[in-house]
Amino acid sequence: DTAVSQTPKYLVTQMGNDKSIKCEQNLGHDTMYWYKQDSKKFLKIMFSYNNKELIINETVPNRFSPKSPDKAHLNLHINSLELGDSAVYFCASSLSSGYTFGSGTRLTVV
Amino acid sequence: KQEVTQIPAALSVPEGENLVLNCSFTDSAIYNLQWFRQDPGKGLTSLLLIQSSQREQTSGRLNASLDKSSGRSTLYIAASQPGDSATYLCAVRGTGGSYIPTFGRGTSLIVHP
């Protein structure tokens, strides 16, 4: 199926750990994104990559590091996890028009 | 900076009603506007995409209109059904710089039988 797929779907981890979330799209899109959705359901852009180049880096702590090995992948690595990092993280991709979102990764830091 | 507001924040209606969800934005220089649906615990599903040159788009019981000059879009849902219950999000994509869209906070819709 053509889609934006994220893994894992759920992630529970302790404070201080380092974790990664993977994202892949097979839609041929050239731009990929990471969004964070907080407990109040507000979607906030974190990063955007176009053709493997970082084009947007919002005010996100440098504990968050995106990595794009190729146009179809944008992974998110988080160091030294904190309680406040608990949220749902969405990957998305686009070409020239609309967005396609992944199903989200629910991260819980305990 | 673009700001997107969705009204109402929540809506509860009986099945069969025709609904209007509103999305307003402050900067009329937009590239496109997209309506999404989000079910609880799920990702976002695209419903309708309106380019800046278009006035409306239709898909089944859904119709979305765009009025750039007044900074508004409406999502019209005809003959609502319980399966329409979800959060509806509006995303506005600007013309400058990074084309990153700005999301509204959504309208949470419950359609009861």
Side-chain angles (χ1 to χ4, degrees):
Chain A
D1 288 346
T2 55
V4 177
S5 57
Q6 295 178 229
T7 55
K9 191 173 174 63
Y10 300 97
L11 185 53
V12 181
T13 187
Q14 290 187 326
M15 278 174 46
N17 283 350
D18 303 338
K19 291 293 179 185
S20 292
I21 308 172
K22 296 185 177 180
C23 179
E24 175 182 5
Q25 56 94 5
N26 59 2
L27 298 163
H29 290 172
D30 58 4
T31 306
M32 296 184 71
Y33 313 81
W34 277 107
Y35 279 85
K36 179 179 181 180
Q37 189 173 44
D38 60 25
S39 57
K40 296 183 180 179
K41 308 300 183 188
F42 184 54
L43 270 165
K44 186 174 180 180
I45 184 72
M46 299 174 68
F47 301 102
S48 174
Y49 268 72
N50 179 264
N51 288 319
K52 301 196 304 175
E53 298 292 328
L54 179 66
I55 56 172
I56 283 287
N57 181 353
E58 291 294 309
T59 51
V60 177
N62 58 13
R63 298 181 294 104
F64 290 77
S65 54
K67 286 190 172 47
S68 182
D70 54 58
K71 282 198 320 181
H73 295 83
L74 181 62
N75 304 322
L76 183 64
H77 189 75
I78 315 170
N79 289 328
S80 304
L81 278 155
E82 301 177 357
L83 293 176
D85 298 332
S86 295
V88 182
Y89 292 85
F90 285 99
C91 177
S93 70
S94 68
L95 191 54
S96 57
S97 294
Y99 273 48
T100 302
F101 276 77
S103 56
T105 296
R106 182 174 293 277
L107 172 65
T108 304
V109 183
V110 298
Chain B
K1 183 181 175 183
Q2 180 74 272
E3 292 183 7
V4 179
T5 303
Q6 290 189 244
I7 294 173
L11 190 58
S12 179
V13 299
E15 183 176 7
E17 281 203 4
N18 299 324
L19 307 172
V20 175
L21 308 183
N22 296 294
C23 172
S24 61
F25 45 94
T26 54
D27 185 350
S28 62
I30 71 169
Y31 184 71
N32 61 38
L33 185 146
Q34 193 166 3
W35 282 93
F36 292 89
R37 166 187 175 138
Q38 185 174 26
D39 293 282
K42 304 285 187 183
L44 279 69
T45 301
S46 179
L47 297 174
L48 291 164
L49 172 67
I50 311 177
Q51 302 294 347
S52 63
S53 59
Q54 298 173 323
R55 304 277 290 187
E56 65 177 347
Q57 285 286 336
T58 298
S59 175
R61 294 182 293 109
L62 304 179
N63 174 278
S65 66
L66 175 63
D67 184 344
K68 279 196 310 180
S69 60
S70 65
R72 289 184 196 171
S73 175
T74 60
L75 178 67
Y76 178 80
I77 303 175
S80 58
Q81 302 171 357
D84 295 329
S85 299
T87 296
Y88 290 80
L89 292 154
C90 162
V92 178
R93 205 169 181 184
T95 55
S98 62
Y99 293 84
I100 299 296
T102 302
F103 279 83
R105 291 182 177 267
T107 293
S108 178
L109 172 66
I110 297 175
V111 181
H112 46 89

